[in-house]
Amino acid sequence: MSDTLHPQRMTLPSDLNSLSPLGMALRDYVAPLGVAESWVYPLDLALCEAAANVILHGYPARRDASFEVVFSQQHDAVSVTLVDSGIPIPPDKIPPAEPEETLPLDAVMTGGRGLYLIYRCVDEVRYWQSEQGNHLMLTRRLPA
């Protein structure tokens, strides 16, 4: 995997119909790296779950909104960052950096499975806020 990819940006409407083009854009971005679909799929799953959260929870009443996606590669990993100006993730909904291997049944029944799934599909999750909005970065290490 000698190719180094340049960052790419795209803006998508805050609509669930954006999830399919988002998955295709991810695959197009990593195609030069020659990674297997078995490597791409978990990142795609986490990315689409995160984007759905932006659409449904960040912009619950604004269907005219949009969010930005930034694809980037570090030497040994690929990151995808979602940037939106919607409602921030409530601090009590952000799981710890190292979530427990299993969730208690009552936690699963009351929601929050999406963030848990995101954490299980990628190697690193970072969330922060800036003047540009909310940032959620998902990083997956490239296979050796």
Side-chain angles (χ1 to χ4, degrees):
M1 296 191 200
S2 59
D3 289 335
T4 300
L5 305 177
H6 296 287
Q8 287 184 357
R9 296 177 180 274
M10 66 186 300
T11 301
L12 293 167
S14 178
D15 185 288
L16 291 175
N17 290 325
S18 294
L19 299 181
S20 181
L22 180 58
M24 289 186 286
L26 171 64
R27 282 168 176 77
D28 288 346
Y29 183 74
V30 300
L33 299 175
V35 292
E37 176 63 22
S38 61
W39 182 89
V40 177
Y41 181 76
L43 180 55
D44 179 35
L45 183 60
L47 177 58
C48 286
E49 178 62 34
N53 285 344
V54 168
I55 294 163
L56 297 173
H57 304 295
Y59 296 120
R62 289 185 51 203
R63 294 297 163 223
D64 62 331
S66 62
F67 60 97
E68 184 178 35
V69 182
V70 181
F71 299 98
S72 61
Q73 181 199 359
Q74 302 73 41
H75 58 86
D76 65 342
V78 170
S79 294
V80 184
T81 305
L82 298 171
V83 182
D84 70 87
S85 60
I87 299 169
I89 298 174
D92 65 326
K93 298 293 184 189
I94 300 173
E98 295 295 327
E100 296 177 17
E101 195 61 35
T102 58
L103 285 175
L105 184 58
D106 61 339
V108 172
M109 298 305 288
T110 59
R113 293 178 301 268
L115 286 174
Y116 183 80
L117 175 68
I118 290 168
Y119 272 78
R120 288 291 169 224
C121 288
V122 297
D123 297 306
E124 183 182 356
V125 178
R126 290 184 54 220
Y127 176 76
W128 70 97
Q129 294 174 300
S130 74
E131 291 178 5
Q132 290 78 36
N134 308 304
H135 303 254
L136 181 67
M137 178 186 282
L138 311 174
T139 301
R140 183 152 165 80
R141 284 188 294 278
L142 290 164

